[in-house]
Amino acid sequence: MNSKTQAHYSIWFLIIVMVFITCLITANIVAVKLVSISGFIVPAGIVIFPISYIVGDVLTEVYGYKHARRVIWLGFACNLLAVIGIIIGQALPAASFWDAQSAYDRILGYTPRLLIASFVAFLFGEFANSYVLSRMKIATKGRWLWTRTIGSTIVGQGLDSVIFIFLGFWGTSPQDALIGAMVTQWLFKVGYEAVATPLTYIVVNFIKRQEGIDTYDRDISFNPLSLVE
């Protein structure tokens, strides 16, 4: 790694990226389990997936939308690679003495519809979250961090929940149940963000001090497809 790369990607940035991608992939794997929290039935992934949004907030708040955009696409690529590896493992012939193929299929098996729903929801939700936080930072002149972390989560997690449930399950379950699932997941994720706000403040302030930066996204392109602007 040359000195230019080291100056551009600090250890703190790499740690944030690592946490973001780990949370994303882990959430997608454990989401197959349904859990009951205070009487609400939700995927187990809901416990860790909101952390990716909190980390996304830190990325945009400290480093800006351009770096967050690259990390979102990196997370997408890493998740896709993990899914491809799991699918290949599922397709490979099992050893004659191994009797857990059905368990592998049940826990790690992906249906095309759910995969598409998950990927589309992730991209729309994460980019919306980053964009709203970036715009609100300019509007608030860097004050009231809690308003933009929670505000961006309301938009991003709302899109994520609606898109995933709609693309993944619409037409297979009663509409009232699906709408209820959208609202429940959305409220849970926003509540998660609100409770984690003090921790977000601590991490953001720590990273800003360590990096010596506080990025404001003025005169940049918010095109989610651009990786160089």
Side-chain angles (χ1 to χ4, degrees):
M1 181 181 294
N2 59 43
S3 59
K4 181 178 180 180
T5 303
Q6 288 178 329
H8 191 66
Y9 297 112
S10 71
I11 183 62
W12 301 111
F13 181 82
L14 294 178
I15 289 174
I16 291 172
V17 173
M18 176 195 69
V19 173
F20 178 85
I21 294 175
T22 301
C23 289
L24 173 62
I25 295 176
T26 302
N28 285 341
I29 292 174
V30 304
V32 67
K33 180 178 180 179
L34 296 177
V35 299
S36 177
I37 300 178
S38 300
F40 295 102
I41 306 300
V42 293
I46 202 172
V47 176
I48 193 170
F49 181 70
I51 297 177
S52 67
Y53 273 76
I54 296 172
V55 177
D57 289 345
V58 175
L59 274 169
T60 304
E61 174 69 22
V62 178
Y63 300 98
Y65 179 86
K66 290 192 294 185
H67 287 291
R69 173 173 52 201
R70 293 169 184 168
V71 175
I72 291 170
W73 280 114
L74 179 62
F76 178 87
C78 290
N79 192 36
L80 180 60
L81 180 60
V83 168
I84 291 173
I86 290 171
I87 291 175
I88 292 175
Q90 183 180 11
L92 290 173
S96 59
F97 56 85
W98 193 68
D99 60 357
Q101 182 65 39
S102 60
Y104 185 105
D105 294 341
R106 179 174 176 81
I107 300 301
L108 296 178
Y110 293 100
T111 65
R113 181 174 181 178
L114 290 181
L115 275 179
I116 293 172
S118 175
F119 285 140
V120 173
F122 165 75
L123 289 176
F124 274 85
E126 287 289 352
F127 278 118
N129 181 76
S130 184
Y131 175 81
V132 170
L133 189 144
S134 176
R135 294 292 81 200
M136 288 186 67
K137 185 173 183 179
I138 299 295
T140 60
K141 299 180 180 179
R143 298 170 293 177
W144 313 313
L145 174 61
W146 65 272
T147 61
R148 51 188 180 273
T149 59
I150 296 177
S152 63
T153 298
I154 289 174
V155 177
Q157 293 282 19
L159 280 174
D160 183 277
S161 298
V162 170
I163 292 173
F164 177 72
I165 296 295
F166 181 81
L167 293 181
F169 301 100
W170 201 264
T172 64
S173 301
Q175 293 184 8
D176 291 346
L178 294 180
I179 293 174
M182 292 176 186
V183 174
T184 298
Q185 289 197 45
W186 177 57
L187 291 177
F188 186 93
K189 292 172 182 177
V190 172
Y192 198 119
E193 173 76 45
V195 171
T197 295
L199 178 60
T200 304
Y201 265 85
I202 292 173
V203 174
V204 164
N205 290 331
F206 174 81
I207 298 296
K208 284 181 178 179
R209 289 195 302 270
Q210 295 298 315
E211 297 283 39
I213 58 175
D214 186 9
T215 305
Y216 286 78
D217 292 319
R218 297 186 176 94
D219 302 321
I220 71 165
S221 169
F222 285 94
N223 179 4
L225 300 179
S226 174
L227 298 179
V228 295
E229 295 180 8

